[in-house]
Amino acid sequence: MIIEWNINKKRGNFRPVLSYSIKLEEFEKELGLPQVVMESTIPEPPNSWSASCLPEKCERSGETCSTYRLYTPNHKKGEVEGKFTLPWRTDSDYPEIQDSFTRLRDHFETILKEAYNSHPVDLNGRLELSEETRKYIAGGLISQRFLEAVGF
């Protein structure tokens, strides 16, 4: 699994935007893995629909943030992209992003290892009549064939 992200913020009172993509590698898709869904610690600001945050408003006035949910792609599509509006911060430091993606990767790796340990199987079987049954019916079959050969 490859996780890539970028944080972009315009100068001024604009909020940063986190853009990310998560892509499964081919061998991961072939394992039929379930999605990993988790609550991240990436903060979602109040009124996250708004691209800006004015001084003394929302997170800049002390309002608390909720968090975003992260998930891995399903094994059929194999990739997911997303964008999150982040809270405005004077230092533009968001350690929660690295931490959350690391936790997502760790959960995914646990499931990946479990799936990988489920080995493939290709079993075939075949049975024939037992020797005992063959001996039991042999006399009757020979008699029947002999009678058919002589016209009975």
Side-chain angles (χ1 to χ4, degrees):
M1 178 173 68
I2 300 166
I3 303 172
E4 297 179 317
W5 69 89
N6 171 268
I7 300 173
N8 190 295
K9 180 191 174 302
K10 297 177 188 177
R11 181 178 300 276
N13 293 315
F14 289 98
R15 288 174 166 157
V17 175
L18 166 67
S19 300
Y20 69 92
S21 69
I22 304 172
K23 294 179 185 168
L24 298 180
E25 296 184 57
E26 281 305 312
F27 76 93
E28 294 166 331
K29 289 195 270 186
E30 292 172 2
L31 291 173
L33 301 170
Q35 284 186 293
V36 174
V37 180
M38 62 168 253
E39 196 66 36
S40 76
T41 56
I42 300 171
E44 178 181 3
N47 302 328
S48 59
W49 48 265
S50 177
S52 63
C53 181
L54 300 176
E56 304 305 318
K57 301 291 181 191
C58 298
E59 67 268 21
R60 292 174 79 177
S61 71
E63 284 187 48
T64 58
C65 296
S66 57
T67 56
Y68 288 105
R69 181 171 282 189
L70 288 175
Y71 56 91
T72 60
N74 70 53
H75 69 276
K76 292 181 181 177
K77 186 173 179 192
E79 62 183 83
V80 66
E81 294 180 345
K83 287 187 177 197
F84 295 153
T85 301
L86 300 174
W88 187 96
R89 289 185 180 164
T90 55
D91 61 4
S92 295
D93 188 26
Y94 298 90
E96 307 93 340
I97 295 168
Q98 172 91 33
D99 293 342
S100 292
F101 283 130
T102 299
R103 281 185 31 240
L104 182 68
R105 183 196 62 194
D106 292 347
H107 291 325
F108 177 80
E109 286 179 351
T110 299
I111 289 173
L112 175 68
K113 289 173 185 175
E114 289 172 1
Y116 185 77
N117 287 334
S118 179
H119 300 288
V121 175
D122 185 11
L123 299 174
N124 296 303
R126 178 181 169 155
L127 289 173
E128 294 184 11
L129 289 176
S130 67
E131 196 63 33
E132 178 186 332
T133 301
R134 287 182 188 276
K135 287 179 183 176
Y136 179 80
I137 64 172
L141 286 174
I142 291 173
S143 298
Q144 181 182 353
R145 288 187 183 150
F146 179 70
L147 290 174
E148 287 173 355
V150 293
F152 278 102

